[in-house]
């Protein structure tokens, strides 16, 4: 059973509505995680290496101010729709909805003030914490009043994140957590010595604004074939890739399945990702540029972390042949992702 503690982390600026931000510390023998009531942010995640030494393996900030300023969604829950919607537009039942454009010509991760930039109401559980918020009808251009629950639970070396939602009107929804990992420890300069595997036979090619073209392409014989572990640095060189920022297509259905594994041979740390979601966005921190001061005054240059974001496929609301992101009144959105930590 994990131990759960709560403490005050900071106070929201008055221009953002004020309010107290709490930090919840979940701790087992092998994992310690800190989660904020602002954005449901995973602010720290400590796991052991093979010498039993703990290190914090997620990027982030020491203070609330870092998270309230512009940053690339470090550790946050993003929504109402994770990833990109082309031109910030979609049509549903003959009505066109226009969202805020915050990623070139597209809408990304819920818009100008998505789920990552708001206070959630916490409730402590025996081995975790549940966060709740009500997203008003029309928030960021999305229809329907949406009740959302995000629950983090820690059991031994496994952190589970469950997402539930109910809506008053038909709406698209896709929720994920945007933690940036470096198994050598946050602040380490790159992830080139990490080994990564992803259990996906196909992926989504994208245009130059990172919107899927609509093709579902086989990974076989391409640089996107990660079904066997690859050393990231060597692999990027071999296939002349600037990095990954792509959706990998997972088995459909509500069953839990293993979808990715990361291993850092020098420390021995491993991480497995299991999920019920249909997609996994693998991102290698291509847009990190060293300009943000992180925890312990660390800087975060390009390729200094990776994200494994379990979610629906990007722009699915505009692609009828993709898994549907639409939630109807009376239905419940319910997905879980499990992060399992160890050594090898």
């Amino acid at each position: 059973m994990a131990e759960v503690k709560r403490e005050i982390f900071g106070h929201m600026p008055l221009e953002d509505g004020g309010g107290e931000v709490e930090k919840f510390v979940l701790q087992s023998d092998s994992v310690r995680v800190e989660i904020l009531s602002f954005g449901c942010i995973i602010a720290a995640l400590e796991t052991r290496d093979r010498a039993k030494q703990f290190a914090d393996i997620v990027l982030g900030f020491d203070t609330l101010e870092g998270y309230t300023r512009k940053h690339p969604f470090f550790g946050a829950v993003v929504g109402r729709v994770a990833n990109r919607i082309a031109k910030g537009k979609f049509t549903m039942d003959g009505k066109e909805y226009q969202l805020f454009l915050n990623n070139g010509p597209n809408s990304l991760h819920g818009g100008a003030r998505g789920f990552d930039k708001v206070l959630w109401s916490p409730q402590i559980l025996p081995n975790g914490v549940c966060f709740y918020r009500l997203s008003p009808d029309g928030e960021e251009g999305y229809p329907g009043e949406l009740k959302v629950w995000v629950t983090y639970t820690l059991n031994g070396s496994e952190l589970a994140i469950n997402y539930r939602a109910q809506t008053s009107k038909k709406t698209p929804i896709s929720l994920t957590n945007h933690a940036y990992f470096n198994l050598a420890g946050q602040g380490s300069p790159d992830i080139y010595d990490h080994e990564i595997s992803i259990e996906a036979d196909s992926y989504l090619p994208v245009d130059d604004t990172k919107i899927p073209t609509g093709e579902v392409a086989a990974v076989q014989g391409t640089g996107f074939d990660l079904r066997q572990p690859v050393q990231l640095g060597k692999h990027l060189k071999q296939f002349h890739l600037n990095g990954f920022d792509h959706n990998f297509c997972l088995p459909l259905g509500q069953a839990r399945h293993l979808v990715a594994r990361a291993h850092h041979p020098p420390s021995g740390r491993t991480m497995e990702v299991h999920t019920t979601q249909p997609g996994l966005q693998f991102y290698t921190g291509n847009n990190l540029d060293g300009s943000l001061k992180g925890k312990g005054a660390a800087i975060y240059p390009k390729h200094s972390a990776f994200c494994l974001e379990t979610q629906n496929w990007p722009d699915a609301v505009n692609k009828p042949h993709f898994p549907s992101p639409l939630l109807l009144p009376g239905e419940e959105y319910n997905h879980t992702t499990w992060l399992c930590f160890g050594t090898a």
Side-chain angles (χ1 to χ4, degrees), residues 109 158 172 229 298 321 328:
H109 293 328
E158 181 176 274
H321 59 296
L328 302 177

Side-chain angles (χ1 to χ4, degrees), residues 72-113:
F73 305 95
F74 286 150
V77 165
V78 293
R80 188 175 294 196
V81 174
N83 215 307
R84 293 170 178 86
I85 294 177
K87 300 183 174 58
K89 280 183 188 163
F90 62 92
T91 301
M92 214 167 48
D93 300 331
K95 182 178 176 189
E96 183 176 274
Y97 294 85
Q98 178 65 58
L99 312 172
F100 186 77
L101 305 181
N102 61 335
N103 185 248
N106 306 314
S107 185
L108 176 69
H109 293 328
R113 191 168 183 261

Side-chain angles (χ1 to χ4, degrees), residues 19-325:
E20 195 171 82
V21 177
E22 289 187 281
K23 176 169 83 174
F24 296 84
V25 182
L26 282 46
Q27 187 154 6
S28 70
D29 290 342
S30 53
V31 175
R32 181 179 183 276
V33 58
E34 299 179 1
I35 306 157
L36 307 181
S37 58
F38 176 68
C40 303
I41 287 169
I42 296 176
L45 203 167
E46 296 177 15
T47 70
R48 293 179 191 223
D49 64 11
R50 69 167 70 87
K52 302 276 191 269
Q53 295 299 304
F54 279 95
D56 183 1
I57 60 167
V58 295
L59 275 52
F61 302 103
D62 288 323
T63 63
L64 178 60
E65 195 179 17
Y67 292 110
T68 56
R69 290 178 179 161
K70 186 173 167 59
H71 69 95
F73 305 95
F74 286 150
V77 165
V78 293
R80 188 175 294 196
V81 174
N83 215 307
R84 293 170 178 86
I85 294 177
K87 300 183 174 58
K89 280 183 188 163
F90 62 92
T91 301
M92 214 167 48
D93 300 331
K95 182 178 176 189
E96 183 176 274
Y97 294 85
Q98 178 65 58
L99 312 172
F100 186 77
L101 305 181
N102 61 335
N103 185 248
N106 306 314
S107 185
L108 176 69
H109 293 328
R113 191 168 183 261
F115 291 2
D116 60 298
K117 296 180 183 69
V118 292
L119 271 176
W120 294 64
S121 302
Q123 182 187 352
I124 282 190
L125 305 174
N127 59 339
V129 57
C130 176
F131 297 99
Y132 168 78
R133 83 173 294 252
L134 185 69
S135 173
D137 185 3
E139 183 175 55
E140 287 297 322
Y142 289 98
E145 184 179 82
L146 190 75
K147 295 176 178 174
V148 193
W149 296 264
V150 177
T151 304
Y152 292 87
T153 46
L154 181 63
N155 287 296
S157 59
E158 181 176 274
L159 177 66
I161 312 173
N162 173 257
Y163 308 91
R164 288 172 51 226
Q166 298 164 356
T167 186
S168 65
K169 295 179 187 172
K170 183 153 88 169
T171 186
I173 179 172
S174 176
L175 302 178
T176 193
N177 179 282
H178 209 306
Y180 285 70
F181 297 96
N182 186 319
L183 299 186
Q186 71 88 27
S188 300
D190 62 61
I191 47 172
Y192 299 138
D193 56 358
H194 284 54
E195 293 173 355
I196 300 277
S197 58
I198 296 177
E199 305 273 332
D201 297 327
S202 53
Y203 78 102
L204 300 180
V206 294
D207 67 18
D208 57 6
T209 73
K210 302 280 191 298
I211 292 290
T213 61
E215 179 191 2
V216 180
V219 299
Q220 182 76 40
T222 74
F224 295 87
D225 191 348
L226 305 176
R227 292 174 294 185
Q228 295 298 318
V230 302
Q231 190 188 50
L232 212 43
K234 278 184 187 163
H235 187 81
L236 293 177
K237 271 193 185 138
Q238 182 186 346
F239 288 95
H240 308 291
L241 297 169
N242 176 50
F244 289 94
D245 193 1
H246 295 79
N247 179 82
F248 287 78
C249 307
L250 307 176
L252 301 182
Q254 280 286 331
R256 169 177 173 160
H257 39 269
L258 170 67
V259 296
R261 190 169 187 271
H263 177 214
H264 181 245
S267 68
R269 282 191 189 88
T270 61
M271 178 174 90
E272 285 183 354
V273 181
H274 303 243
T275 193
T276 60
Q277 294 267 30
L280 177 75
Q281 187 84 5
F282 178 37
Y283 175 52
T284 49
N286 314 326
N287 297 321
L288 297 174
D289 60 7
S291 61
L292 293 171
K293 270 273 166 62
K295 288 179 278 192
I299 58 165
Y300 300 139
K302 181 178 178 176
H303 296 161
S304 60
F306 64 91
C307 304
L308 292 165
E309 305 158 62
T310 54
Q311 55 189 33
N312 203 340
W313 300 6
D315 201 33
V317 72
N318 291 312
K319 307 268 196 303
H321 59 296
F322 284 8
S324 173

